[in-house]
Each structure stands twice: as C-alpha cells, then as structure tokens.
Amino acid sequence: MDGIHKKEAKAGLSAFALLLAITLPWLGYSLLCLPQRDSVPADAYVETPGQCKLIALTFDDGPRRSTTTALLDGLAERGVPATFFLIGEQVPGNEDILRRMDEEGHQIGIHSYTHVKLTGLNRADFSEEVGRTRTVLKNALGHNDFLLRPPYGMVDAGVRRRAGAPIILWSVDPEDWKDQDGEREYQQIITEAKDGDILLFHDIFPTSVETALRVVDTLHAQGYYFVTIPDLFAARGIPLKNGEVYWNAYP
Ligand code: NI
C-alpha cells in the first residue's frame, strides 16, 4: 500500500468512526428512552444521551405568524419537538403553520376558541369553545388527537367531564406574559427545571421565543432531552386519559 492509499484508508476509517460516534448515542437513546416513533426523530441534537432527563416545552395562545414561525425555525435548527395549545379563532389563515407543526413532529392541543375560562360553561358554550376548535384543527390537519389545556389552567368537574382529551397543565411557569423580561424568565426556568417538568411559554411574544430557545441550549448542555407531551408520558409509563389532569411526569 503506498502513502496515498494509506491516507485514504485512514480517512475512510475516521469517517466511519465519526459516523458511529454520531449515530450510536442517538440509537441508544431511541431504544432506551423513547417509545418508537414513525418518522420524526425527537431531539436529535444532543450527542451524549446520559440518563435521559426529559422535559416538555409547551406554548399557549398561538398561532401568531411572526413569533410562532420564528419559534418553529429555532426548534427545527435544534431538532426539538414541542407541544402547542392553540386558540381556535387564530387558526383561519394560519393553517400552513399548523401543517408545519405536524410535519415537524410537534404535538397540537386545544386551548379554546376565544381564550375564555371553560369552568362553569354549559354544554353548548363548552362546545363552542372546545368542540369548535377541535373541528377547526381537524379540518386543517386531517386527524383528531388533540390534547386540552384550559385557559388559566382552570378546571372543574364540567371541564373534566366534557374535555374529550387529557388535560395538560404545567409545572414550571415563568409568567412570560407579565413583564416579558427574558433574562428573569431564563434564570427562573434554569433554576427550577428538573427531569419530568412541563414548561409553560406563550409563543405570541418575541421575548418568549428567544427565552425558550436559550433554555433549550442550556438544558441540552446539561443533558436534557426535549419531547412532546405524549412522548414524555409514554416514556414514564403514565397513560394519558381523557378528562384526567396532568402537571408533570416526574420519575
Ligand atoms: Ni392562554
């Protein structure tokens, strides 16, 4: 073997080693930590899977074209899936954003049609808020497997009875709507975040989008993986049932 061939063989070997180094952690993580998914690899960004610390990002009150699109771009760059609880009346004209969410592996949920309290509503009014949003989402996406997050996290017996979906609340709330102070939100989340948490953001504020992506980068570096709500609970062996309320999936 002459010098050039040796070099080529060496280069081939190191390329193979690199490929293995990239593929193996992901493969291990997929097999050990996540239920098998059809298409989209969840959180393919992290290189060292460690102990599979999982967190779910959730975003309420969208879609809003400018901020939601910026968020989807940032999540796509990082290979991170999230869960979106949408306002029904904001869907018309934004169906392409919903389809993008779907295609990129995000989970979609209902937040209500006009962002009102769902507690104390009679059957017809509840249906105007939740049923109508479900129809709008179904028409845009062609499937019907939407979670529910009632506005303000307000739940009563009527909401539980009529939900027709698992009710997903949260465990870390930076109150990003209040002062839109990205640094304060970031510090609070980084301090509080732990394995199994559900983080609450609103993807209608530019600061929230920036903060969420900053949080992703920091927690990735700490060995966390980001997963959708169904994947989080599946990974913890907790079945999601219609009308039940969930705040976290702590191990
Ligand atoms: Ni809301």
Side-chain angles (χ1 to χ4, degrees):
M1 202 182 267
D2 61 33
I4 291 168
H5 280 104
K6 259 187 201 160
K7 256 187 200 163
E8 277 175 0
K10 230 181 179 180
L13 198 67
S14 60
F16 182 65
L18 186 67
L19 189 71
L20 272 185
I22 292 169
T23 315
L24 279 181
W26 164 240
L27 191 68
Y29 165 62
S30 307
L31 292 176
L32 292 173
C33 305
L34 279 183
Q36 295 303 299
R37 301 172 61 111
D38 304 320
S39 51
V40 181
D43 202 343
Y45 181 78
V46 179
E47 287 161 18
T48 47
Q51 301 170 333
C52 311
K53 294 186 290 185
L54 303 176
I55 286 192
L57 296 171
T58 66
F59 296 91
D60 290 7
D61 294 5
R64 181 181 179 212
R65 182 164 295 275
S66 58
T67 45
T68 304
T69 301
L71 174 64
L72 289 172
D73 291 346
L75 294 175
E77 274 172 32
R78 293 162 175 79
V80 164
T83 302
F84 291 87
F85 293 95
L86 304 178
I87 301 292
E89 66 179 354
Q90 290 165 210
V91 169
N94 287 322
E95 289 87 349
D96 59 316
I97 297 179
L98 270 65
R99 283 192 291 271
R100 179 178 173 191
M101 287 174 178
D102 232 17
E103 283 161 14
E104 296 184 357
H106 304 293
Q107 172 69 39
I108 291 172
I110 296 163
H111 195 41
S112 72
Y113 200 81
T114 60
H115 207 282
V116 293
K117 291 189 290 183
L118 300 178
T119 48
L121 295 187
N122 63 29
R123 184 197 298 254
D125 289 342
F126 188 92
S127 174
E128 267 301 295
E129 288 295 329
V130 174
R132 193 176 172 196
T133 304
R134 183 176 283 120
T135 302
V136 163
L137 298 180
K138 204 171 143 185
N139 289 345
L141 297 168
H143 58 81
N144 182 13
D145 55 349
F146 309 115
L147 304 168
L148 175 65
R149 173 174 285 163
Y152 318 105
M154 292 177 70
V155 177
D156 62 8
V159 170
R160 292 182 53 155
R161 195 169 57 245
R162 298 190 180 112
I167 299 168
I168 309 298
L169 300 184
W170 56 83
S171 54
V172 176
D173 178 8
E175 297 188 312
D176 59 338
W177 45 270
K178 207 158 66 179
D179 48 13
Q180 293 171 55
D181 178 344
E183 180 61 25
R184 181 195 61 72
E185 294 161 22
Y186 171 80
Q187 293 299 342
Q188 183 191 332
I189 296 164
I190 294 307
T191 306
E192 289 183 18
K194 57 192 171 299
D195 189 10
D197 265 328
I198 299 174
L199 311 189
L200 169 62
F201 293 96
H202 298 79
D203 57 315
I204 53 171
F205 305 117
T207 45
S208 301
V209 172
E210 281 169 30
T211 304
L213 296 175
R214 208 178 147 201
V215 162
V216 166
D217 291 338
T218 300
L219 294 181
H220 261 163
Q222 294 178 10
Y224 283 92
Y225 292 87
F226 292 89
V227 286
T228 63
I229 290 289
D231 282 351
L232 174 65
F233 284 87
R236 292 284 141 87
I238 303 168
L240 290 174
K241 295 177 185 163
N242 291 357
E244 292 289 318
V245 182
Y246 302 86
W247 290 267
N248 63 68
Y250 296 147

